[in-house]
Amino acid sequence: MFPDFSDMSEYNIASLSRLIEQFERLPGIGHKTASRLAYYILSLSDEEAARFSDAIDDAHKKIHYCKQCGNYTDKELCPICSDPNRDRSIVCVVEGPRDVIALEKTESFNVLYHVLHGVISPMNGITPDMIRIKELLARLSEGNIKEVIMATNATVEGEATSMYISKLIKPFGVKVTRLAYGIPVGGDLEYADEVTLSLSIEGRREI
Amino acid sequence: MFPDFSDMSEYNIASLSRLIEQFERLPGIGHKTASRLAYYILSLSDEEAARFSDAIDDAHKKIHYCKQCGNYTDKELCPICSDPNRDRSIVCVVEGPRDVIALEKTESFNVLYHVLHGVISPMNGITPDMIRIKELLARLSEGNIKEVIMATNATVEGEATSMYISKLIKPFGVKVTRLAYGIPVGGDLEYADEVTLSLSIEGRREI
């Protein structure tokens, strides 16, 4: 239990409040955790604090989107796009850079990626032109790509985005696939939801 | 579930790794959360990222210990030490600045504080001279203080620190008290541990 600082205006130090506010903007960090982290920053030595703020500046300055796939990189092309051993005829479309890492960890995927940096979400004011869809169409128009694997999240918005993009891709005449739905490995049938279960029945394979 | 980045050396971007490392140093932040936060920083606009790193620099530059009590402040004296309505004959000794805020929130305390910035902990290499004990003795030697309330945490180290300081204080002839142990308000007797319960019996009061 940490004390709540929100109404401690008497003891508020402007620069401390601002630091707490900044930590509070981070995903999954509430007010109490933010104030705990801010106090921790104060307890650091000058060098350690400078190292922290420099790491933020440095990462933000050096890291940008890969010119081709949109993944984060500090070079012009990311290591995947510049890897000569990749199958350049398949492009896997994902929502974010961390999805690339998740898929790469399977070690069963030797394709190129396309990072959308978001999903279409009218509720949150994200329209199709705000994510990297036109960059994907530009890549397709070059004519080397034979298959596009849609690997957006299995959420309503991920699905909608996937459907929207599939329709745009159709005219290019490339194959469009998406990742299989089913019971997760190690998962209990008993606890699987009906939708997942019926999709895993629908997608059953001969053994 | 977030992918584990620790063995993704192939896709490692030096400045990103450093940023993840910095977040990982924060208390209660593991590797996965750290990488989530680092990726969030990358997704910020340049101005937003700069605001974050500036907040760290700024807080660290402007905030220091109060000359008297050792609490954080951006002035010479903290608002509590410079408050003319405080009872200056009682000093409450706490481990950290956040303890001051917790006690202040009771609104039943109109005393001065002394922040130790740590506890004696031989296991972690924290010796008595590494926390603000001599500053406390200096304040006592001025002769205005009549009572010292020990309010360190009810942990082994907090207890030991409290005992150590009490012994040093004895020669000054001031009253030394400590916060009462007992069942927390709203707490279930059934779930209270034996030590707490026996201390609450020992410390029982007439009603």
Side-chain angles (χ1 to χ4, degrees), chain A residues 2-5 7-8 10-11 13-16 18-19 22-23 25-29 33 35-37 39-46 48-53 55-60 62-63 72-74 79-80 83 86 97-98 101-102 104-105, chain B residues 2-5 7-8 10-11 13-16 18-19 22-23 25-29 33 35-37 39-46 48-53 55-60 62-63 72-74 79-80 83 86 97-98 101-102 104-105:
Chain A
F2 294 105
D4 182 14
F5 293 79
D7 46 6
M8 289 299 296
E10 201 196 330
Y11 306 103
I13 307 168
S15 46
L16 178 57
R18 268 198 303 276
L19 183 56
Q22 289 299 322
F23 273 115
R25 297 169 53 97
L26 298 176
I29 305 283
T33 306
S35 82
R36 188 161 51 89
L37 298 181
Y39 270 85
Y40 178 79
I41 292 289
L42 289 185
S43 78
L44 293 176
S45 73
D46 285 352
E48 288 170 317
R51 216 174 295 141
F52 202 120
S53 67
I56 293 175
D57 291 334
D58 196 48
H60 219 266
K62 290 193 184 145
I63 300 172
Y72 286 129
T73 181
D74 52 1
I80 297 175
D83 178 354
R86 294 270 163 169
R98 285 184 300 149
I101 292 172
E104 281 297 301
K105 288 201 72 182
Chain B
F2 293 105
D4 182 14
F5 294 80
D7 46 7
M8 289 301 294
E10 200 196 331
Y11 306 104
I13 307 167
S15 47
L16 178 58
R18 269 199 302 276
L19 183 56
Q22 288 299 323
F23 273 115
R25 298 169 52 97
L26 297 177
I29 305 283
T33 307
S35 83
R36 189 161 50 91
L37 298 181
Y39 270 85
Y40 179 79
I41 292 288
L42 289 186
S43 78
L44 293 176
S45 72
D46 285 350
E48 288 171 316
R51 217 174 294 144
F52 202 120
S53 67
I56 292 175
D57 291 334
D58 196 48
H60 219 267
K62 290 192 184 149
I63 300 173
Y72 286 130
T73 180
D74 52 1
I80 297 176
D83 179 354
R86 294 270 164 170
R98 284 184 300 150
I101 292 172
E104 282 296 302
K105 288 200 72 181

Side-chain angles (χ1 to χ4, degrees), chain B residues 53-70:
Chain B
S53 67
D54 288 348
I56 292 175
D57 291 334
D58 196 48
H60 219 267
K61 215 167 290 164
K62 290 192 184 149
I63 300 173
H64 45 79
Y65 291 174
C66 164
K67 207 182 72 173
Q68 180 167 273
C69 74

Side-chain angles (χ1 to χ4, degrees), chain A residues 180-184 188-205:
Chain A
Y181 290 119
I183 337 151
D188 230 334
L189 219 65
E190 194 179 344
Y191 298 120
D193 63 289
E194 299 82 13
V195 184
T196 302
L197 216 46
S198 65
L199 286 171
S200 83
I201 294 169
E202 208 183 292
R204 71 192 180 277
R205 296 170 59 162

